[in-house]
Every structure is written in structure tokens, then in C-alpha cells.
Amino acid sequence: MNSMYIVANWKMNGDQIFNSHLITTIEKNSVINDASHMIICPSMPYLQQINTQKPSYMILGAQNISQYDNGAYTGEISAPMYSSVGVNHIVIGHSERREYFAESDALLAEKVNAVLANNSTPIFCCGEPLAIREAETQNAFVENQLINSLFHLSSEQLLKVVIAYEPIWAIGTGKTASSAQAQEIHAFIRSVLAIKYGADIADQISILYGGSVKAANAVELFSQPDVDGGLVGGASLIATEFTAIINALQ
Ligand code: PEP
């Protein structure tokens, strides 16, 4: 049985006052408070602040990681360092990292390894740009991302990975994949995992949808059989929207 997750990706937003108010308001209004699958990924300087303030059912996550554990890598943060401050869930391969920071599939495979070696959880993002969707070749595109960055893992390792399918054309654009489009490609992703690892393993992997998830579409998206929650950007910064999305998991 796979788990449902909502991951809040705050990106490079927030300040101490804003963060504090957001966490307090989410806590006050969420009906889900024991699922342990609400992961908040603030900007790195605010990890300690959120860790101190958050209720225990909120899990702290990070938006990026180094592939190395330590050394002369100025500005980088490693899996053991994150763990030492209570961060054990790491987003890897967000399309903004792939696009603006030239992160390749090969590099992302190394980052996945670094996170797993530290007994932490990679939240691995995949998803196609608009031109690929328009050419209707999104399945092959996403399959290659999975093969290149995940398929070196053992079954045991894969079971620790959460996958987030995020079509780039839907991220921050207000355009959402329809629930049918999301279900179709999530089922495809699961079938690709099943071919490599077997159906039993594939069925246990959580596959989240990301791309303009909001209060208005969350219930329908999350009710799809192969959509196991969401990765939420813009709407995670608006307390009323985010609590409605969390509550849509019910
Ligand atoms: C994201 O940042 O991964 C994302 C899905 O953003 P948004 O919800 O704003 O589209």
C-alpha cells in the first residue's frame, strides 16, 4: 500500500514573519493532523525556524541537495547535514533545478544515491516540457528520466523513493493537467516501474502530481487511483488554499 503525501515547495519565498504566520494558520485550519505526510520545504535558512515552530505531524523537507557528503563545495548542503537538523525528505530534480541550474539525469542519479545512502527519502521529480506534450511523446520522455536517474536502484532502494510527476507546462502557469491526463501518465509511470521492479513494488511507490494544484482541483486530482497526493508550489504559500489542499486528502 502506498502513502499519500502533500509536499509544500515554498521555493525562494518567505521571511520569518510570513513563515510563522503561514505555519500557524495551516495548523489551525487543517483537519488532517496525524497523517505524518505533510512535508514542508521552506528555503534553507528557515529550516531551523520551521523545525522549532511546526507541530510534530508536519515533516520538514529540503528543496535541493548536494551529491557529495562533505568537502570543498562552496554553497552546497549535504544529506548528513540536513539530517543533523531534522531534514530527511529532499526534493530532487525539480524542473527549475533541471532548467536553470542545468541538472542532468546523471547528476540527479548521484543525488538520489546520496540521499538514500543517508537513509533519507528522495522526492524525485520528473515531467515533460510543453513541446514534448504537444508532440504526444511525454511517456517516452518521462520513462527516460526514470530509467536514467532511478533504474540503477535495487527494489529495496526504490521503495524508499517518492516520485512527483510534474508537467513543466503546468508548473506556476495556472494550467493544470486534467485529472484524466494526470491519471493516464501516473498509471504509465507505475507500469514502467512494474516492468522493471514487478507490480508488487510498483504498487507501493507513491506518485504525486505537481503543477498548479489548488483548492479547486485537489479533490478531483487526488481521487484518481494512481495519484497519491501532490507537490504544491504557489498554492502552498496561501494558507487557505494549502489547508484546503491538505483537507482534500480526506
Ligand atoms: C512546483 O513548484 O513544483 C509546482 C508544482 O508549482 P505550482 O504548484 O505553483 O505549479
Side-chain angles (χ1 to χ4, degrees):
M1 187 56 194
N2 48 21
S3 305
M4 299 292 281
Y5 290 91
I6 300 290
V7 180
N9 176 16
W10 287 4
K11 310 195 187 193
M12 199 172 72
N13 293 296
D15 57 40
Q16 296 204 42
I17 294 169
F18 177 90
N19 301 344
S20 177
H21 183 251
L22 185 54
I23 292 290
T24 306
T25 316
I26 293 168
E27 187 179 0
K28 206 161 62 187
N29 298 321
S30 296
V31 296
I32 294 189
N33 58 15
D34 61 355
S36 305
H37 291 136
M38 187 194 307
I39 303 174
I40 308 283
C41 304
S43 270
M44 198 270 290
Y46 302 126
L47 288 170
Q48 285 286 27
Q49 180 203 2
I50 307 301
N51 210 11
T52 307
Q53 190 190 338
K54 73 174 186 57
S56 58
Y57 61 82
M58 286 186 196
I59 298 171
L60 201 55
Q63 300 173 15
N64 182 34
I65 195 161
S66 169
Q67 68 272 39
Y68 304 115
D69 276 358
N70 50 53
Y73 302 106
T74 302
E76 294 289 283
I77 297 140
S78 70
M81 288 174 178
Y82 276 131
S83 279
S84 72
V85 293
V87 180
N88 294 301
H89 291 73
I90 320 283
V91 176
I92 292 179
H94 190 282
S95 64
E96 288 153 15
R97 299 290 322 168
R98 291 175 184 263
E99 190 178 342
Y100 306 143
F101 302 95
E103 295 199 353
S104 65
D105 288 352
L107 172 67
L108 300 177
E110 288 184 54
K111 292 189 175 200
V112 167
N113 292 345
V115 171
L116 289 172
N118 193 57
N119 275 325
S120 295
T121 302
I123 302 167
F124 177 79
C125 301
C126 56
E128 79 286 354
L130 184 59
I132 295 288
R133 173 61 67 162
E134 284 175 345
E136 298 180 6
T137 53
Q138 66 273 8
N139 286 6
F141 186 92
V142 170
E143 183 174 10
N144 268 326
Q145 291 179 320
L146 299 175
I147 290 171
N148 294 340
S149 300
L150 295 183
F151 275 21
H152 61 285
L153 300 176
S154 67
S155 301
E156 199 183 21
Q157 289 175 312
L158 188 82
L159 282 169
K160 296 184 179 137
V161 176
V162 172
I163 294 176
Y165 166 70
E166 300 206 294
I168 298 172
W169 47 271
I171 296 179
T173 59
K175 264 192 202 168
T176 317
S178 67
S179 52
Q181 283 174 318
Q183 169 54 27
E184 191 181 17
I185 194 153
H186 281 227
F188 172 75
I189 290 170
R190 209 178 295 286
S191 75
V192 167
L193 298 176
I195 290 166
K196 167 81 176 163
Y197 292 96
D200 183 46
I201 302 283
D203 286 346
Q204 295 178 63
I205 305 295
S206 298
I207 307 175
L208 318 184
Y209 169 80
S212 298
V213 174
K214 37 190 180 278
N217 57 26
V219 171
E220 198 184 331
L221 282 164
F222 301 162
S223 65
Q224 302 304 308
D226 287 294
V227 177
D228 306 313
L231 200 163
V232 187
S236 71
L237 295 164
I238 305 166
T240 48
E241 279 286 312
F242 190 66
T243 48
I245 291 167
I246 287 286
N247 294 343
L249 275 189
Q250 282 289 62

